[in-house]
Amino acid sequence: MATLYLPLSSSSDPRCLWVRVSRQFSCHSRPKVQEVSSGPRGLPLPCLLTPSSGSVWGPWAVSYMLAPDILSGCGDPRSCALIKQWVNYAESDLLPSTYGLEHAQERDRAYLELQRILGFLDHHLKVRTYLVGERLSLADIAVSCCLIHPYSKVLSPSVRDNLPNVTRWFLTCVSQQQFQEVLGEVTLLGAETDTSSTSAAPTNTTAPAKTPAQLKKESKKKEKLERFQQKQEKIKGQQTEVKKPKAEKKEKKELGVITYDIPTPPGEKKDIQGPMPDSYSPHYVEAAWYPWWEKEGFFKPEYGRSSISDPNPKGMFMMCIPPPNVTGSLHLGHALTNAIQDSLTRWHRMRGELTLWNPGCDHAGIATQVVVEKKLWREKGKTRHDLGRSEFIEEVWKWKSEKGDRIYHQLRKLGSSLDWDRACFTMDPKLSLAVQEAFILLHEAGVIYRSKRLVNWSCTLNSAISDIEVDKKELSGRTILPVPGYKEGVEFGVLVSFAYKVVETDEEVIVATTRVETMLGDTAVAVHPEDQRYQHLRGKYVMHPFSFRLLPVVFDEFVDMSFGTGAVKITPAHDQTDYEVGMRHSLEFINIMDDNGKLVNVPEPFLGMKRFEARKAVLEALKVKGLFKEIKDNPMVVPICSRSKDIVEPLLKPQWYVRCDEMGKKAADAVRDGHLTIKPEFHNKTWFTWMDNIRDWCISRQLWWGHRIPAYFVTIDDPSVPAGEDTDGKYWVSGRSEEEAREKAAKLFNVEPGKVSLRQDEDVLDTWFSSGIFPFSIFGWPNETEDLNVFYPGTLLETGHDILFFWVARMVMLGLTLTGKLPFKEVYLHAVVRDAHGRKMSKSLGNVIDPLDVINGITLEGLHAQLLDSNLDPAELERAKDGQKSDYPGGIPECGTDALRFALCAYTSQGRDINLDVNRILGYRHFCNKLWNATKFAMRSLGDGYIPPESSLTTGQESNADLWILSRLSLAVELCNTGFHNYDFPGITTAVYNFWLYELCDVYLECLKPVFSGSDDVVKAVARNTLYTCLDAGLRLLSPFMPFLTEELYQRLPRRAAAQHPSICVTPYPDATEFHWRDEEIEKNMDLALLLVKSIRSLRADYNLTKTKADCYVKCQDAETRSVVKAYTSYITVLSSTNSLIILQAEDPAPLGTAVNTASDKATVYLSLKGLIDVEKELSKLQTKRSDLSRQLEKLKERVAGADYRTKVPPAVQQGDSDKIKQIETELQKVEEATVSFQQMV
């Protein structure tokens, strides 16, 4: 087993840290780590010993060997060279400045140098996610490890604010799992004042006054130093190209907008007869396809079938969309949902299953009513009450017809393959009938009942709201918050203590509250039964100071004896906990607020006051009566209505409730018994917690827009029947019509129908009620329809984990209760999208992004303009603008739908959160361009007259490269199908990305270039057939994620005679029955060839021979290796850009004038340098390096030989010095060896 040797002080050495992090990325068995005082066999540390390839040492060499190819450039010489330049930059420029921060004499200069480097990095990362390319590499690992000390000890928040790009990149790096396994949680330096206490910060100490002579001398010294620094800056400027890593070249044409200008009526097929444009442009590629797909009916389950009821041996897939609010527009969270759902739908459709993805839209009761009410007031100066219920509802429908289709437009733009003929709106007659029927059936079964309980009440909306519409704002102490309807802010986050006098004694009981105005509704004081301080108060009362009510002292175990005085005021009508205490002790429930938040049932002067004005008045009145004790800061959570921003009040209201205990048990058992599967499985715990402790569900909403509750209050015109109360469920009946309800009431009370008067409930049902029956109401339930019989129960429910309870659980409960069936067999919950910094998407932060802005691109000014249409206050608006300016200084470039979809799915992990960097999506647009260019090359290579064979079967004449790419294709097919089965979207995207980019484009197409320029027609024909198979299958693999690009390219490919499918979205998805050419022996041989290519490219990069071809030698240790190298020589020379490759025996001497690199334990590479480098110049460099190293070694040895060194210098520093001596000695040895080698070339 391999062993990684590190110095004892490695935990503080950035170079050893990046070696450790690189080890965590290793795809193979990780070497064991051993911390030692000195390296084995005298080798410098860090070093790596392996049984196969011997030893390597030095941070770059060791990390290069440990890391997978993907971290070191994947064999691309340009990427590899850039990565190595960055690593060298980290070691030669960045590391000295971070070390200098720890030494007083060098601190100020080091700090300035660090700021210069960080400024350069920030500029470089302005439009990049990572230092090189679009994924993490060894460059990022090395540079970020060097910055751990500065970020945690030196760089203050204000300094970091001026470096937004490098800070974002640094946090992205150190948040990776592999980093955290080594570093733990990296904590940034806190408050500004912290910098003064750190040893690394620049110092400015006060010194004694200096003499004129000293000042004159210092002045001259300063002038001399400035001239020297100017000279150094000039030299550095001249050496910039050498010192700094080269910036990656931008393909100017790649981001150009190319338009599709051929007139094509909507629904007609796109004209692709012309030549392919020079580069990929989303604007061109995405034009015209979607209307054609829709018109042809590709997204309908009926496509290609005579009847959906006919048995399909391949199965059925049905999924309904989580219906978005009709008022809203899609954000990136919706885009993630649709990217996942559409990729799954397209995969199932391509597998030949009967497939339906059903669209729909939610009427969004509160949200829609608020929008229309604001519009009505803005345009006409009227309220809904001015219009009346009927006319107001007409206004809502009018608004819906004008604005309600925006989301459907966005879904089409995202390429969502929904069956639009089955689109449903929850207020449509079909769904409204289902909602009515569901209520009546549940009411008749006693599942829905009437009760007066506490609800979340919005005084601004005059309605109860659901828990999901309540935002919990955490306060650390006294805070002034704005409240609708109040000119001044209201104080929260304080605890007010006051006393109640015990009746007929001089005693008092002190209680505390955060809502002192609610004391007007107190009906008791509670203490713990075991609290000895209050045992003598059993059976006693306290006096209310304003209403003079007698409040009993009750004993209840809910009281925490250790908190405050151990006594608690009880307001049953305005607090959920107090409500339960009131029920247990049969206390009086006094409601002190009306629907608008004004006080009722209270004495003067508080009667009629607004609730928060009463808060001040009650406090002053308590002070006047001498009952006030204290007020202090108190951390608390304030419930705020997400719709109105009002403070939510718990109010007692008669409402309709759904009894959930039995339904919750059935829903929990369905998961426990395995009938319903939730993925990822860690969500099961949340599911059981909710279902096993579920409370009854309030479904009444005091709105006009929505499904009016089909319940009627009964009044009987008969003296023998007493009048009922609103809260008495016996006086309520439900009915499909007023006539049906009257018949029910007459039968219930045994009277003639003519004696029955009815009043329909004014309230509407909670929107989640209609959403809860969505999986079967869309198919016409309760009527027996073909769609209901075929598509219910559905297959899958896919959504975000944040609505697991609010929607998913209710669908399961209502489905089981109303239909006797689970509405779906599986639930897949994706993560919640956050921004690149891990923050929740919020308008006030300016990080809510419309997916269309990513698809089409938008300027920074355009992003700012969108904020003006929001309801942000001026301070929030400026903060949001600053956030946009920081994250998108140049706006958002046009990325296209395909890149956005692919990026979202690639990001999806089976966790809770996704930190989405919009700039990374741009990287997948570059991937689209790579596919475009690769297909263009392949089409030219196939030729205009190419006709593919009948099938993809091999002929036996395939070359090693042909067999290798078919083997890799077979693996990609296997990984993609396995990934779809397991909802492993990053696994699928990685498999198809790697196949296209690193295997087909980077290797196979390069290997084909000499084949197509050659004269062997048989080899050409076989290669063309193999290439066609890869293109055809590769596009089909990619199609579920990139429907537009793959359709565009697929339509330009010739077709096999037996596969004349009109569109790629209805072609079969590749599977293992057709693509079964996996050959591990071929892959093993090609891996060796590619390892040799990587080693050769590394040597060429070391000597800056990236544009020069050289001769190459490979020394093989055995006959088998020689045989493989010989068979793959043509590929090695092409991929490594070498003139020739000569195979050496194990006993052959090393060729003179060559550079050496160990590729594996079986093969060593030698690159001939004769005539390719300036030998004299290289010898001069080596001489200079020898002198520098000798001088450093002499100083170190002199220091170590000091008299007090062993006793006064810390052991860790001694170890560091020892390592440096060994390292310098090793480097000197390498310099000597290189010098001898170069002298032999003179």
Side-chain angles (χ1 to χ4, degrees), residues 1106-1141:
T1106 53
K1107 295 182 180 179
T1108 307
K1109 290 191 175 184
D1111 294 325
C1112 185
Y1113 303 83
V1114 177
K1115 182 184 286 188
C1116 302
Q1117 297 299 317
D1118 54 41
E1120 182 183 355
T1121 306
R1122 286 195 299 275
S1123 173
V1124 172
V1125 175
K1126 183 178 180 182
Y1128 287 78
T1129 293
S1130 61
Y1131 308 134
I1132 297 170
T1133 54
V1134 168
L1135 295 172
S1136 62
S1137 296
T1138 52
N1139 274 330
S1140 63
L1141 188 141

Side-chain angles (χ1 to χ4, degrees), residues 1038-1228:
L1038 191 57
S1039 179
F1041 301 103
M1042 292 186 167
F1044 292 103
L1045 177 59
T1046 53
E1047 185 73 84
E1048 181 81 26
L1049 297 177
Y1050 178 79
Q1051 293 293 343
R1052 294 175 183 272
L1053 282 180
R1055 308 283 173 84
R1056 301 189 196 277
Q1060 296 298 318
H1061 302 283
S1063 167
I1064 195 170
C1065 64
V1066 290
T1067 59
Y1069 197 79
D1071 60 31
T1073 57
E1074 180 183 1
F1075 299 92
H1076 52 266
W1077 304 303
R1078 190 79 196 280
D1079 188 329
E1080 294 186 6
E1081 184 67 23
I1082 284 285
E1083 291 188 19
K1084 176 186 168 187
N1085 293 341
M1086 183 60 92
D1087 285 346
L1088 175 60
L1090 295 177
L1091 201 57
L1092 292 170
V1093 170
K1094 180 178 179 180
S1095 299
I1096 297 168
R1097 286 172 170 173
S1098 178
L1099 286 173
R1100 295 177 67 229
D1102 287 344
Y1103 290 95
N1104 199 25
L1105 299 177
T1106 53
K1107 295 182 180 179
T1108 307
K1109 290 191 175 184
D1111 294 325
C1112 185
Y1113 303 83
V1114 177
K1115 182 184 286 188
C1116 302
Q1117 297 299 317
D1118 54 41
E1120 182 183 355
T1121 306
R1122 286 195 299 275
S1123 173
V1124 172
V1125 175
K1126 183 178 180 182
Y1128 287 78
T1129 293
S1130 61
Y1131 308 134
I1132 297 170
T1133 54
V1134 168
L1135 295 172
S1136 62
S1137 296
T1138 52
N1139 274 330
S1140 63
L1141 188 141
I1142 301 163
I1143 303 173
L1144 303 176
Q1145 304 279 352
E1147 60 275 8
D1148 290 342
L1152 297 177
T1154 58
V1156 63
N1157 197 355
T1158 302
S1160 75
D1161 58 330
K1162 300 291 180 65
T1164 305
V1165 168
Y1166 298 88
L1167 188 70
S1168 177
L1169 301 177
K1170 288 181 181 179
L1172 301 178
I1173 60 173
D1174 187 334
V1175 178
E1176 295 295 339
K1177 187 177 179 180
E1178 294 296 328
L1179 284 170
S1180 175
K1181 286 182 184 177
L1182 289 171
Q1183 181 61 37
T1184 303
K1185 189 173 184 179
R1186 184 194 293 116
S1187 300
D1188 291 342
L1189 290 171
S1190 299
R1191 189 162 53 251
Q1192 292 176 33
L1193 184 61
E1194 185 180 346
K1195 282 185 179 180
L1196 268 174
K1197 287 185 173 180
E1198 188 179 311
R1199 178 186 173 191
V1200 170
D1204 299 331
Y1205 179 82
R1206 295 294 173 191
T1207 56
K1208 292 188 176 180
V1209 177
V1213 177
Q1214 291 186 34
Q1215 177 62 45
D1217 290 341
S1218 175
D1219 294 341
K1220 287 176 185 175
I1221 289 172
K1222 288 178 181 175
Q1223 182 179 344
I1224 293 172
E1225 287 175 342
T1226 303
E1227 288 186 37
L1228 274 170

